[in-house]
Amino acid sequence: MTPQAATVVVDHASAQDYAAASELGDRCDKILLEQLRAGHPGAFEQLVASQASRLINLAYRLVGNRAEAEEIAQEGFLRLHRSLDGFRGDCSISSYLYRIVSRLAIDHLRREKLRRKLFFFRRQDDEVDPVEVSADPGASPRDLLQAKETGQRLLAALDRLSARQRAVFVLRHQEGLTLKEIAALLKLQEGTVKAHLHRAVRALRVELEDLQEDRS
Amino acid sequence: MKGIGAKHCRKEDLLLYYYDELDTQRRHELEAHLNGCAACGKEWQQLQRTLDGVPQPTIELASGEAERFAARVAERVQRPGRGKLWLWGGALTATVVLALSLTVRPPGMLPGKGSNLVADATIVQELELLQNMELLEELDLLQELEGQG
């Protein structure tokens, strides 16, 4: 079998796997939805436990604070619960939750910006930084220090972006969504999403420039 | 990307190239240009280095943490809903307090030329704006999500 033919077989198999997994996911969603609507004991808690990590991380990347991220994720689950009766199942439960949490996080960022503007409030520099939370336990003290500094600088730089620029950057760079998916999620034109991404990256490059020079 | 062979690459295109968001033809044109242009090659390497170096903040939930979080959420679901009454109540209380502080002034303290009054009114407006924005966002999101589900 030529390498090309092998690739085709593998691609075909993975496409079948994906379709099967997707079908299985749809069926699981339907069962879960029925259980939730019927008030099945533990069904909602089980759903929350299975999605918690993904959604807390999404909110955390968007707002940069763990306590606020948990609060946002919690609110997302509560809203899903409140809208269960009207949930038609046009999209999967996980996509629905992802969308709610993204929008809640963006609203939260906007409110925070307005609050800071009104009350001259600034985020404390000594808050737990993102890199510290996920620090590699095997890293050297120098690496940890550098990672911490990069993390703090990134947070500070992200804080200076508008809520939409920050959301677009996080969703594209850290969550791996395509520009098309981001446009659908945030209800924006794809061109607008590109412009937000470009501005966000330009600002981040300026903020992180000296760190890059140190490394090189 | 007209004339990309002769002109330098646009930064926007390099960014889209990094995220694999260029169509096939544009990607080939850009790659061909990068192979022959030192300035664009340098710009591309810098962009790559910056974006590759951006950390990926991740919270690793410890064992049992997701379950505890789920239990907290389930507990909140069980609580009797306060609805949005507390928000309206808060807005009303804030308005009454501010209205009283503006109307009930010590005798002899006149509004003068109105500079203090204007400043007070601006703060009231901004506070109300914040409160109203929160209420509207909550309501808008709820309505929208109910429609989409």
Side-chain angles (χ1 to χ4, degrees):
Chain A
M1 194 184 286
T2 63
Q4 223 171 6
T7 311
V8 172
V9 170
V10 170
D11 283 347
H12 187 60
S14 61
Q16 275 182 336
D17 289 349
Y18 179 77
S22 170
E23 199 180 320
L24 188 67
D26 287 349
R27 248 185 289 164
C28 286
D29 252 16
K30 272 182 191 158
I31 295 167
L32 188 59
L33 198 57
E34 278 167 22
Q35 286 182 340
L36 288 170
R37 280 181 179 148
H40 192 279
F44 184 66
E45 211 168 316
Q46 199 184 332
L47 167 79
V48 176
S50 68
Q51 300 280 333
S53 175
R54 182 170 156 265
L55 293 173
I56 291 172
N57 269 296
L58 168 68
Y60 182 54
R61 286 169 190 153
L62 286 166
V63 301
N65 177 290
R66 179 168 181 164
E68 288 168 8
E70 287 194 14
E71 193 59 40
I72 288 168
Q74 202 170 95
E75 184 58 32
F77 286 115
L78 292 176
R79 288 189 183 201
L80 169 73
H81 193 270
R82 283 202 289 267
S83 55
L84 273 176
D85 291 335
F87 189 84
R88 295 193 302 268
D90 293 343
C91 62
S92 70
I93 293 176
S94 69
S95 308
Y96 184 73
L97 279 166
Y98 198 89
R99 200 163 54 204
I100 299 176
V101 170
S102 304
R103 291 193 190 160
L104 283 172
I106 293 169
D107 288 346
H108 176 84
L109 283 174
R110 283 186 182 145
R111 269 199 301 272
E112 276 300 299
K113 276 191 183 290
L114 188 59
R115 267 203 191 98
R116 281 185 223 179
K117 202 177 146 195
L118 283 179
F119 303 115
F120 306 105
F121 168 78
R122 293 190 74 80
R123 198 185 283 268
Q124 293 295 310
D125 285 343
D126 55 358
E127 277 179 15
V128 180
D129 78 84
V131 175
E132 202 168 45
V133 174
S134 56
D136 173 9
S140 70
R142 189 173 178 272
D143 288 344
L144 283 175
L145 193 70
Q146 195 176 42
K148 187 178 178 181
E149 193 193 348
T150 313
Q152 280 172 343
R153 292 284 299 276
L154 175 70
L155 264 189
L158 287 173
D159 258 358
R160 282 183 204 111
L161 301 177
S162 74
R164 272 196 181 151
Q165 284 171 8
R166 181 175 183 156
V168 167
F169 177 76
V170 168
L171 292 172
R172 176 60 262 203
H173 190 84
Q174 294 174 330
E175 293 291 315
L177 266 65
T178 63
L179 295 179
K180 204 173 177 179
E181 287 168 334
I182 297 170
L185 186 74
L186 304 182
K187 291 194 169 167
L188 296 170
Q189 297 289 321
E190 211 175 313
T192 312
V193 174
K194 279 182 193 171
H196 282 314
L197 181 67
H198 178 63
R199 282 187 206 125
V201 170
R202 195 173 54 193
L204 290 176
R205 284 185 77 181
V206 171
E207 294 288 337
L208 304 174
E209 198 173 17
D210 52 328
L211 283 177
Q212 301 309 317
E213 280 167 7
D214 287 350
R215 275 184 206 164
S216 60
Chain B
M1 206 176 300
K2 197 179 170 185
I4 198 162
K7 290 180 186 171
H8 290 308
C9 302
R10 290 167 57 217
K11 287 185 179 175
E12 290 90 333
D13 288 329
L14 285 177
L15 186 62
L16 294 178
Y17 180 60
Y18 179 86
Y19 288 119
D20 200 16
E21 295 273 1
L22 282 181
D23 62 42
T24 317
Q25 193 197 340
R26 281 182 164 194
R27 198 174 65 239
H28 288 327
E29 284 173 353
L30 192 134
E31 280 167 352
H33 179 83
L34 284 177
N35 281 332
C37 177
C40 289
K42 194 179 167 194
E43 173 65 25
W44 164 239
Q45 279 175 357
Q46 280 174 349
L47 176 71
Q48 243 184 330
R49 207 166 43 231
T50 307
L51 290 174
D52 288 350
V54 171
Q56 173 86 338
T58 307
I59 296 175
E60 300 287 349
L61 294 186
S63 165
E65 225 176 328
E67 285 72 21
R68 283 196 293 278
F69 175 81
R72 280 204 304 276
V73 178
E75 194 196 341
R76 271 186 70 179
V77 166
Q78 301 300 324
R79 266 188 236 161
R82 289 177 299 168
K84 296 288 165 195
L85 276 177
W86 65 277
L87 267 176
W88 291 109
L92 189 65
T93 311
T95 311
V96 169
V97 168
L98 287 162
L100 280 173
S101 68
L102 287 173
T103 51
V104 183
R105 286 170 181 267
M109 191 176 170
L110 295 168
K113 288 176 184 170
S115 57
N116 286 340
L117 203 61
V118 170
D120 287 347
T122 312
I123 293 170
V124 175
Q125 277 174 354
E126 285 180 334
L127 283 169
E128 281 179 350
L129 174 73
L130 184 66
Q131 198 91 41
N132 290 339
M133 204 175 112
E134 287 183 357
L135 281 170
L136 284 172
E137 278 170 354
E138 297 268 327
L139 289 172
D140 282 351
L141 187 68
L142 268 179
Q143 282 171 348
E144 198 181 318
L145 291 170
E146 275 170 13
Q148 284 172 356

